[in-house]
């Protein structure tokens, strides 16, 4: 009789590019463009104190490589033991091939399935859910799931309402087949009718850029929608797993805005002490933010083996989702 197969995170890793940009640094740079802002203005609206920017020649796969190596080391696995690579990114190295295929080559391996997932800031939640499904069905035994972004490349530095919010980075997990439950439940959604509130409305055609290849966001609309759908996804995921809010040891949400994050925690009746918040340190790193925060909490000794963790993401598309897991 075939035993039930589950997937479980066995290692986490992350990487931030060395260039640190504080709110004061950014304010000075924007002042040269005639745009006024300050550390106080940015922090009170977002909870962000600093972010990291990659150098011009550094790609998403470069950041992913470092995060992947750290996750593999934590899991005690070699790259050649990985049989699935999924990279969540909205800022890939190229139009094609995928950053996952490029990462595979940089890891020095070949042969296993490798592809990208594009769900913007929900990307890691989507990628982790896909990997979990593939492990459960026996299509993979050891998956490398990465969120990696160089969002600094698509920011409009004449728009202070958006350029102060984002940063670059990568986070990764190793997800392995296990006889014991790890990923307990997940819930994914999208609503393309909201495409206009958060998008980069540009494309490449005939060697030219059509449209506007820089980020555009209606902050108030995103805030209002995000808090509602994150609570709904969380409640649905808990129901699927047969759990309640009281079973959550830690909430690791997309690190976009501290007010959205705290609002979600309150709706779930969770004390803020259970909220993992790293947005002050690296800003909004899109698909990288959840695994970055998760790795920070694991390595910082907060999240331990056996803890029940709720991961949440919401982003352009409009996409959103949640994953409940036991470490």
């Amino acid at each position: 009789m075939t035993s039930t197969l589950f997937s479980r995170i066995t290692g986490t890793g992350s990487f931030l590019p060395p260039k640190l940009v504080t709110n004061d640094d950014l304010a000075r740079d924007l002042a040269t463009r005639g745009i006024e802002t300050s550390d106080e203005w940015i922090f009170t609206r977002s909870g962000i104190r600093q972010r990291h920017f990659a150098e011009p020649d550094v790609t998403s796969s470069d950041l992913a490589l470092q995060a992947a190596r750290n996750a593999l080391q934590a899991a005690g696995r070699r790259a050649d033991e990985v049989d699935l690579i999924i990279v969540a990114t909205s800022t890939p190295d190229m139009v094609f091939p995928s950053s996952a295929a490029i990462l595979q080559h940089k890891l020095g391996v070949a042969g296993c399935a490798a592809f990208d997932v594009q769900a913007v800031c929900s990307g890691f939640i989507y990628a982790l859910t896909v990997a979990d499904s593939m492990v459960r069905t026996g299509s993979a035994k050891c998956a490398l799931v990465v969120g990696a972004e160089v969002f600094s490349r698509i920011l409009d530095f004449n728009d202070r309402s958006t350029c102060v919010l984002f940063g670059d980075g990568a986070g990764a997990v190793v997800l392995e087949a296990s006889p014991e439950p790890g990923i307990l439940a997940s819930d994914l959604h999208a609503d393309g009718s909201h495409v206009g509130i958060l998008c980069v409305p540009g494309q490449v055609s005939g060697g030219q850029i059509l449209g506007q290849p820089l980020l555009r966001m209606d902050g108030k609309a995103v805030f209002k929608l995000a808090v509602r759908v994150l609570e709904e996804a969380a409640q649905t995921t808990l129901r699927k797993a047969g759990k309640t809010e009281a079973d959550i040891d830690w909430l690791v949400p997309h690190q976009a805005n501290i007010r959205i994050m705290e609002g979600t925690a309150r709706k779930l009746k969770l004390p803020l002490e259970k909220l993992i918040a790293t947005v002050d340190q690296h800003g909004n790193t899109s698909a990288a933010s959840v695994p970055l925060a998760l790795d920070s909490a694991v390595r910082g000794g907060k999240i331990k083996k056996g803890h029940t963790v709720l991961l949440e993401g919401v982003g352009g598309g409009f996409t959103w989702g949640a994953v409940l897991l036991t470490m």
Side-chain angles (χ1 to χ4, degrees):
M1 184 175 179
T2 303
S3 61
T4 303
L5 198 61
F6 301 98
S7 74
R8 197 179 192 99
I9 291 176
T10 58
T12 66
S14 60
F15 182 75
L16 292 163
K19 183 180 179 182
L20 178 66
V21 181
T22 66
N23 288 346
D24 288 332
D25 294 333
L26 201 53
R28 283 192 293 271
D29 181 64
L30 293 178
T32 65
R33 302 167 182 260
I35 300 171
E36 291 187 13
T37 192
S38 66
D39 174 66
E40 181 185 12
W41 190 90
I42 298 169
F43 182 73
T44 55
R45 286 162 176 78
S46 66
I48 297 169
R49 289 290 191 191
Q50 61 187 39
R51 74 287 294 145
H52 293 250
F53 285 168
E55 295 298 332
D57 61 342
V58 173
T59 64
S60 286
S61 69
D62 289 328
L63 303 181
L65 176 63
Q66 301 304 321
R69 285 173 171 167
N70 290 335
L72 287 167
Q73 182 179 43
R77 291 295 184 185
R78 303 185 310 272
D80 61 9
E81 294 177 284
V82 171
D83 56 8
L84 172 66
I85 299 173
I86 306 178
V87 173
T89 185
S90 298
T91 52
D93 297 25
M94 305 178 184
V95 172
F96 71 82
S98 68
S99 293
I102 297 171
L103 170 62
Q104 182 192 59
H105 176 63
K106 290 179 178 179
L107 284 168
V109 296
C112 74
F115 57 90
D116 288 357
V117 167
Q118 218 286 45
V120 200
C121 302
S122 305
F124 182 78
I125 301 299
Y126 269 64
L128 188 61
T129 300
V130 172
D132 171 55
S133 297
M134 293 183 70
V135 171
R136 283 173 179 261
T137 59
S139 298
K141 293 182 180 179
C142 182
L144 180 61
V145 186
V146 187
E149 303 281 15
V150 284
F151 250 58
S152 59
R153 310 282 165 77
I154 57 173
L155 299 179
D156 181 355
F157 285 95
N158 292 308
D159 178 6
R160 75 166 182 170
S161 67
T162 58
C163 72
V164 301
L165 302 178
F166 296 88
D168 304 335
V173 301
V174 174
L175 189 72
E176 297 191 54
S178 169
E180 298 179 357
I183 305 295
L184 304 177
S186 61
D187 190 54
L188 301 179
H189 296 277
D191 185 348
S193 67
H194 298 290
V195 64
I197 66 175
L198 179 54
C199 60
V200 178
Q203 58 180 288
V204 177
S205 177
Q208 303 295 320
I209 295 174
L210 301 183
Q212 176 57 266
L214 299 176
L215 186 144
R216 293 287 176 264
M217 181 173 71
D218 180 342
K220 290 183 179 179
V222 169
F223 185 97
K224 183 178 180 180
L225 188 59
V227 173
R228 177 177 64 82
V229 299
L230 285 174
E231 182 197 10
E232 291 173 356
Q235 295 292 358
T236 300
T237 303
L238 287 167
R239 284 196 300 273
K240 287 181 179 179
K243 303 287 186 180
T244 69
E245 298 97 326
D247 295 309
I248 300 172
D249 292 309
W250 298 100
L251 172 64
V252 185
H254 169 46
Q255 308 287 309
N257 181 301
I258 193 63
R259 292 185 295 171
I260 294 176
M261 295 158 60
E262 291 180 347
T264 302
R266 283 192 289 269
K267 282 185 173 290
L268 291 172
K269 301 179 180 63
L270 293 177
L272 295 184
E273 291 76 19
K274 291 190 174 185
L275 173 67
I276 300 298
T278 56
V279 66
D280 60 315
Q281 301 169 39
H282 52 68
N284 183 344
T285 54
S286 190
S289 81
V290 170
L292 269 168
L294 178 63
D295 182 56
S296 175
V298 169
R299 292 177 186 268
K302 288 185 176 181
I303 295 179
K304 297 181 172 66
K305 185 175 176 60
H307 283 178
T308 298
V309 183
L310 180 66
L311 311 179
E312 291 188 312
V314 60
F318 207 74
T319 64
W320 64 97
V323 173
L324 187 70
L325 59 88
T326 298
M327 293 297 292

